[in-house]
Amino acid sequence: MRTDLYQGHDYYMMDEWLTEEHKLVRDTARAWVKKEVSPIIEEAAENSKFPQHLLKGLGEIGAFGPYIPAEYGGAGLDQISYGLIMQELERCDSGLRSTASVQSSLVMYPIYKYGNEEQRMKYLPKLATGEWIGCFGLTEPDFGSNPGGMLTNFKDMGDHYLLNGAKMWISNAPFAQIAVVWAKNEEGRIHGLIVERGMEGFTTPTMHGKWSLRASDTGELIFDNVKVPKENLLPNKSGLGGPLGCLDSARYGIAWGAIGVALDCYDVALRYSKERIQFGKPIGAFQLQQKKLAEMITEITKAQLLTYRLGQLRNENRATSAQISMAKRNNIAMAKQIVSDARQMLGGMGITGEYPVMRHMMNLESVITYEGTHDIHLLITGMDVTGFDAFK
Ligand code: TGC
Ligand code: FAD
């Protein structure tokens, strides 16, 4: 097991823009990750299992619902704090950040935003502590990038809804207590329903064989004539804008998370470049390796500036979905390049579990795909700047 020597990198002195609260939140998350997760993450990825004993700790550091008001059990923090927590979690592993993203932005957020007071009081406090874990069912076997085509549907049976259909690629499905599920009513309008484990006809088989995001459990959601109580419908939003609104929040968190991955790989590569001797001197003394490191810190710094500004806009409720898409897309592409360069700088050691780089590299293949693929986000930007919708 390798000691986690990570130190943050702040080339443009952006810490000066952070409040004392931001720094406290970030440093708390970083210290918890180093103590509780770094020592076990490689083994979790090898075993392809999310370490569920971490859920309570994630709740304690405020990673579940950081921006949900305290009256519902959230941490009541701003969007920069939320981003910093996601950065610190994903600095360790994208699967760890995934669990926090799904719980916060894809489960707590829709219940808070689209739910009624009874639903908020019933679910949010338990989700905030990690006592309950939720998952988010949007993607279907035949509808990924195009979720509006979904087939999962529910019928009004008078005293309950009858839910049928299937979702796949659902993070945390195998062990979640509840699922926020997006389904069409008889008029074809999309609504969110809270489905609870134990409801008859509801199963969550695990998906096996992933080479990416291995420290995160992924599953299906199968609904075979599930009777969902009427009070489990989220009443305050309908249409595809419901799930897409949640995705805005999660994609914003991923933009910060990708910076965490890049920082970790830069940190490892920089240290290795000073320690590894070839041809009688540290490899960091060779111009080719310096080019890689100089480009890494340049790209990280650009992403930090972009993402901090996006956080300010979100704090003021002014960030557009297209701005979020740009940050998600840019930062993951940036992180992928850095991970690839770092892996090469580590030579043969770069492919081993001695260093986190190869695990990050594999994880990013999921991160660049979920919450909207790289190409989908490009088309969202294209639509925003030209006014032409390439999806129609
Ligand atoms: P389109 O006709 O453009 O829009 C339908 C309605 O939605 C509204 N809308 C949004 N609302 C809020 N936020 C956004 N970002 C929105 N984007 C669009 C829009 O105004 C419209 O509203 P209304 O009232 O007029 O009906 O929709 P489209 O069918 O053409 O599709 C657009 C497209 C392709 C951009 C969208 O569907 C998309 O983003 N596709 C990607 C799918 C995706 O991201 N799936 C993610 C699944 S969840 C996941 O991956 C979790 S990973 C979890 C982890 O971290 O582990
Ligand atoms: P497709 O939509 O079939 O896309 C295939 C290719 O076609 C992509 O390259 C795409 O960019 C391209 N493409 C599609 N449409 C267009 C177009 N109009 N123009 C140009 N190119 C196009 N979903 C959930 O609902 N909840 C979860 O918790 C969740 N967790 C996930 C966890 C993991 C590990 C993974 C891998 C996925 C998860 N997903 C989840 C699903 C994820 O959101 C989808 O995989 C993603 O949206 C892409 O859908 P798809 O895999 O069906 O690919």
Side-chain angles (χ1 to χ4, degrees):
M1 186 204 314
R2 207 163 182 278
T3 312
D4 183 351
L5 300 169
Y6 173 75
Q7 292 165 353
H9 296 277
D10 181 24
Y11 202 70
Y12 261 43
M13 294 171 280
M14 288 180 56
D15 266 17
E16 291 175 12
W17 289 353
L18 301 182
T19 64
E20 288 310 310
E21 182 175 77
H22 292 148
K23 285 186 246 182
L24 180 66
V25 163
R26 179 195 59 193
D27 295 347
T28 302
R30 185 175 298 173
W32 179 79
V33 160
K34 279 188 166 192
K35 181 163 180 277
E36 303 293 340
V37 199
S38 298
I40 60 159
I41 192 64
E42 212 63 54
E43 195 186 340
E46 269 182 35
N47 295 338
S48 192
K49 197 90 202 110
F50 177 75
Q52 288 184 34
H53 71 275
L54 298 175
L55 294 171
K56 190 164 169 280
L58 280 165
E60 283 166 3
I61 62 164
F64 291 155
Y67 52 81
I68 299 290
E71 62 194 287
Y72 300 114
L77 297 168
D78 76 350
Q79 291 289 314
I80 305 274
S81 285
Y82 163 46
L84 288 165
I85 295 172
M86 297 302 118
Q87 174 186 284
E88 294 305 316
L89 297 181
E90 193 146 8
R91 200 277 301 171
C92 179
D93 191 80
S94 300
L96 185 67
R97 194 268 311 135
S98 258
T99 290
S101 288
V102 171
Q103 184 87 339
S104 301
S105 292
L106 302 183
V107 178
M108 295 178 74
Y109 177 85
I111 293 173
Y112 171 64
K113 204 73 183 169
Y114 313 144
N116 58 32
E117 197 55 19
E118 293 75 52
Q119 291 167 338
R120 290 189 195 120
M121 293 311 293
K122 176 175 176 188
Y123 296 105
L124 293 178
K126 288 199 167 90
L127 291 164
T129 58
E131 183 183 340
W132 282 356
I133 290 298
C135 64
F136 176 87
L138 180 64
T139 306
E140 299 188 357
D142 293 327
F143 298 94
S145 298
N146 176 27
M150 70 175 68
L151 299 176
T152 300
N153 65 87
F154 63 99
K155 288 195 173 76
D156 189 337
M157 306 303 282
D159 62 340
H160 65 271
Y161 297 118
L162 198 63
L163 179 65
N164 278 290
K167 303 285 177 181
M168 79 181 288
W169 291 115
I170 308 304
S171 299
N172 295 348
F175 63 90
Q177 277 82 13
I178 65 166
V180 171
V181 176
W182 300 94
K184 285 180 177 166
N185 67 11
E186 284 145 291
E187 286 78 50
R189 188 87 182 147
I190 294 171
H191 286 268
L193 297 156
I194 304 170
V195 180
E196 300 183 16
R197 187 172 292 286
M199 288 180 176
E200 209 179 321
F202 174 43
T203 48
T204 61
T206 302
M207 294 174 67
H208 295 285
K210 287 184 295 156
W211 286 102
S212 168
L213 216 75
R214 288 174 60 81
S216 164
D217 294 349
T218 313
E220 297 172 62
L221 303 175
I222 314 275
F223 314 105
D224 181 8
N225 286 319
V226 181
K227 285 183 182 173
V228 180
K230 285 207 153 170
E231 63 263 26
N232 284 27
L233 181 101
L234 298 174
N236 298 328
K237 183 82 183 173
S238 69
L240 192 56
L244 289 176
C246 307
L247 291 174
D248 274 357
S249 177
R251 291 167 176 172
Y252 165 74
I254 292 177
W256 281 93
I259 296 175
V261 173
L263 282 167
D264 198 40
C265 292
Y266 170 71
D267 187 74
V268 166
L270 180 62
R271 194 169 295 113
Y272 195 80
S273 78
K274 295 176 182 175
E275 291 165 358
R276 177 68 177 167
I277 310 291
Q278 288 294 291
F279 298 97
K281 55 182 180 178
I283 60 167
F286 296 115
Q287 289 181 2
L288 283 173
Q289 306 311 320
Q290 287 186 7
K291 176 174 186 288
K292 291 192 185 75
L293 291 166
E295 286 177 351
M296 284 182 198
I297 193 62
T298 305
E299 292 307 315
I300 288 170
T301 303
K302 283 154 65 179
Q304 286 173 323
L305 290 164
L306 175 88
T307 313
Y308 181 88
R309 175 63 183 150
L310 185 62
Q312 283 183 324
L313 291 173
R314 278 185 62 85
N315 275 342
E316 296 164 10
N317 243 332
R318 291 198 293 139
T320 66
S321 299
Q323 286 170 334
I324 296 166
S325 282
M326 180 185 282
K328 193 241 179 205
R329 182 174 183 276
N330 176 77
N331 292 7
I332 296 166
M334 172 277 299
K336 266 176 71 84
Q337 184 59 51
I338 287 174
V339 171
S340 173
D341 285 346
R343 207 226 56 72
Q344 288 194 54
M345 286 187 68
L346 267 61
M349 289 310 292
I351 70 153
T352 71
E354 280 287 301
Y355 293 89
V357 179
M358 191 82 189
R359 179 169 44 80
H360 282 313
M361 182 184 268
M362 295 192 295
N363 283 344
L364 287 180
E365 293 301 321
S366 290
V367 183
I368 202 167
T369 300
Y370 63 35
E371 308 253 9
T373 67
H374 192 64
D375 285 344
I376 291 296
H377 288 295
L378 176 130
L379 293 176
I380 291 172
T381 306
M383 176 163 60
D384 196 47
V385 297
T386 66
F388 300 123
D389 184 344
F391 300 111
K392 301 284 191 277

